[in-house]
């Protein structure tokens, strides 16, 4: 796990060595072990290393091929690198070290962009091809590793890297706020557009590669998810899930440094832990809140059963509010998923003992684990009414005052494409407009964002449509981004065995009624996990990573902290502050639970202050 930065075709009179070193210093948390750079007339690449595989200096980057014509900077892990290495040696390639990174540069020599069809792992990388005078950048299948790029520069040069904050050190970069990103963020809680909150800075999409040559950019997909269910019975899928996940975990534990695992009380991290059997597990919860806000006892109980040492810590509201500016700095863009906070502290705890951790991200999206995917009994009964009648009732109900009944009737007459936008829905779109100043009510509509994804799974069942949407938007935009940024903030590598292309290929054949049914979510996965887990862990209801924000915002201390920000000049630039105060006061006095709305706005303001006022 590492980080890289780079730029190409810079026309400004700058000290390239000083600039690339300044950019590298900005992401030193991603690679504290060593750093180096490459520079010629056209391209400059910098690299920070966190040593995981082949700890020798021979594994340092930038890494060159035999004749020095290809220069690589690589972030991630290629889990099948040993097999690929043997194949490349047979074809005549000469290796200097045992790292997986060197396999990538030789595979590019041999296969060009088709190397992406051969690798298995998580990655973002850039290869400067001197002979072709081109830059080849690629991002892994699911978007586990981040990769940003921009030509929003004074000289139309290209800048790219693992974190946007490094761009601020490049003199050609134009730091501008992308006004179109704010309104969608208030609904989705994360940066959902391809263009980030920094104008002209883009995320390379998961499963895509980019070719840059003489100022021109060409982006192409190389992989996609294809749900194609067959029906071979539950027992068949139980065996397949166990065998495929065992193989994936075996690949993901390859390391020359210590490996542990994150562990909550849920089935996903518990399943990975039981397959991995590490020496140490790590858990966090919140002080003064038992049960839903503190699963550390469950993690400790399972660790004891498996005879694994468990480390746990409890956090406070003071810690959360104090570290929020730092958390948002590491995130690069505003992101109000509350679980980023405990994940930051969990990563800090783990970093004191290990360098690599395995985690359970991705299981819900691949195997169907979210409550949204499961219809309630009431909805199933209601859907027996002909759709045309429900559609009319939905339209009428939408015009009435909103409450639980009218909301149910509205959604009961909507297709999934209209009612499901992903696992988070903070502000309704109209409410987002009401709290924003006119200048910031721009940006694409919610439906236009999701439609492009839904159009690719026309004809599929509703569960598959929702999973596909979450795999394409929620997973890379929220779940994986915070996993990468919070772990790398503490210089540890987080690996996600569920998000392996072979696991996805296997899971894509499981019928939707074995993914989600009226008995449970992740039905087949839970059944498979019983091979290695006690039944109570396999069947435990999903909790996630809950944070007691709604309780904190009803305490005077934290109410006043947020109030001060909501009444600040920064807030007045973007928001109708009187509307914000209505949310805050109604929540504080217990009239409504607006914790997520309040926190989403507060996070944006904290982020903006950090990046546009202080930096």
């Amino acid at each position: 796990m590492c980080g890289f930065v780079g730029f190409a075709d810079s026309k400004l009179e700058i000290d390239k060595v000083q600039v690339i070193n300044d950019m590298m210093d900005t992401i030193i948390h991603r690679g504290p072990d060593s750093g180096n750079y490459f520079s010629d007339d056209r391209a400059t690449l910098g690299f920070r290393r966190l040593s995981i595989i082949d700890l020798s200096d021979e594994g340092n980057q930038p890494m060159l091929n035999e004749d020095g014509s290809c220069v690589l900077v690589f972030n991630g892990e290629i889990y099948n690198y040993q097999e690929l290495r043997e194949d490349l040696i047979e074809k005549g390639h000469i290796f200097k070290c045992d790292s997986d990174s060197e396999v990538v540069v030789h595979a590019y020599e041999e296969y060009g962009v088709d190397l992406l069809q051969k690798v298995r792992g998580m990655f973002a990388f850039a290869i400067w091809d001197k002979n072709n005078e081109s830059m080849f950048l690629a991002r892994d299948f699911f978007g586990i590793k981040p990769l940003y790029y921009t030509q929003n520069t004074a000289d139309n040069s290209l800048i790219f890297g693992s974190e946007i904050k490094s761009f601020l050190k490049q003199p050609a970069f134009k730091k501008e706020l992308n006004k179109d990103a704010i309104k969608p963020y208030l609904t989705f809680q994360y940066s959902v557009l391809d263009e980030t909150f920094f104008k002209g800075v883009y995320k390379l999409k998961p499963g895509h590669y980019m070719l840059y040559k003489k100022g021109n950019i060409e982006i192409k997909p190389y992989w996609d998810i294809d749900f194609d269910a067959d029906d071979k019975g539950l027992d068949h899928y139980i065996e397949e899930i166990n065998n495929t996940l065992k193989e994936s975990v075996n690949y993901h534990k390859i390391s020359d440094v210590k490996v542990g695992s994150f562990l909550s009380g849920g089935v996903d991290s518990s399943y990975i832990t039981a397959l991995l059997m590490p020496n140490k597990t790590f858990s966090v919860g919140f002080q003064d809140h038992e049960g839903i806000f503190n699963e550390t006892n469950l993690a400790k109980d399972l660790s004891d059963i498996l005879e694994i040492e468990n480390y746990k810590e409890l956090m406070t509201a003071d810690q959360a509010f104090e570290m929020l500016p730092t958390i948002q700095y590491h995130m690069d863009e505003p992101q109000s998923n509350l679980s980023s906070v405990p994940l930051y502290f969990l990563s800090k705890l783990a970093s004191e003992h290990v360098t690599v951790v395995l985690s359970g991200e991705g299981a819900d999206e691949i195997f169907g684990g979210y409550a949204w995917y499961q219809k309630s009994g009431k909805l199933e009964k209601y859907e027996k009414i002909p759709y045309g009648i429900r559609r009319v009732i939905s339209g009428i109900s939408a015009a009435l005052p909103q409450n639980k009944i009218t909301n149910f009737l509205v959604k009961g007459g909507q297709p999934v494409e209209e009612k499901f936008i992903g696992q988070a829905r903070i502000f309704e779109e109209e409410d987002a407009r009401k709290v924003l100043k006119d200048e910031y009510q721009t940006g694409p509509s919610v439906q236009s964002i999701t439609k492009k994804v839904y159009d690719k799974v026309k004809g599929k069942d509703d569960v598959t449509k929702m999973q596909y949407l979450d795999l394409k938007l929620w997973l890379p935009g929220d779940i994986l981004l915070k996993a990468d940024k919070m772990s790398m903030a503490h210089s540890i590598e987080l690996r996600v065995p569920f998000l392996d292309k072979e696991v996805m290929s296997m899971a894509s054949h499981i019928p939707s009624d074995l993914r989600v049914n009226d008995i449970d979510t992740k039905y087949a996965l839970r059944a498979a996990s019983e091979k290695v887990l006690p039944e109570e862990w396999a069947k435990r209801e999903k909790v996630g990573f809950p944070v007691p924000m709604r309780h904190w915002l009803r305490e005077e201390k934290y109410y006043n902290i947020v109030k001060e920000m909501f009444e600040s000049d920064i807030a007045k630039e973007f928001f109708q502050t009187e509307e914000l105060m209505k949310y805050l006061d109604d929540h504080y006095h217990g009239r409504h639970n607006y914790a997520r709305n309040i926190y989403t706005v507060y996070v944006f303001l904290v982020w903006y202050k950090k990046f546009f006022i202080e930096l």
Side-chain angles (χ1 to χ4, degrees), residues 311-363:
Y311 293 83
K312 64 178 183 176
E313 284 188 1
L314 297 181
M315 297 166 294
T316 66
D318 282 348
Q319 288 176 295
F321 276 88
E322 179 186 358
M323 294 310 300
L324 189 58
T326 300
I327 290 169
Q328 290 305 310
Y329 171 76
H330 281 287
M331 285 301 304
D332 273 336
E333 299 185 80
Q335 193 253 34
S336 67
N337 188 328
L338 286 161
S339 64
S340 297
V341 176
L343 185 55
Y344 177 85
F345 290 99
L346 179 61
S347 298
K348 182 177 184 296
L349 172 63
S351 71
E352 297 166 3
H353 303 274
V354 299
T355 309
V356 174
V357 288
L358 270 59
S359 189
E361 279 86 354

Side-chain angles (χ1 to χ4, degrees), residues 197-241:
F197 269 78
F198 294 88
K199 189 172 180 60
V201 177
Y202 293 87
K203 297 167 273 193
L204 185 61
K205 289 182 179 181
H208 284 65
Y209 69 87
M210 183 177 104
L211 294 173
Y212 170 85
K213 188 168 185 175
K214 296 180 179 178
N216 297 314
I217 287 177
E218 183 181 16
I219 296 175
K220 292 184 177 181
Y222 68 86
W223 183 84
D224 201 359
I225 297 158
D226 182 20
F227 284 96
D228 185 20
D230 48 36
D231 191 2
K232 296 182 179 179
L234 179 61
D235 290 342
H236 170 84
Y237 296 116
I238 288 174
E239 184 177 359
E240 268 208 327
I241 290 169

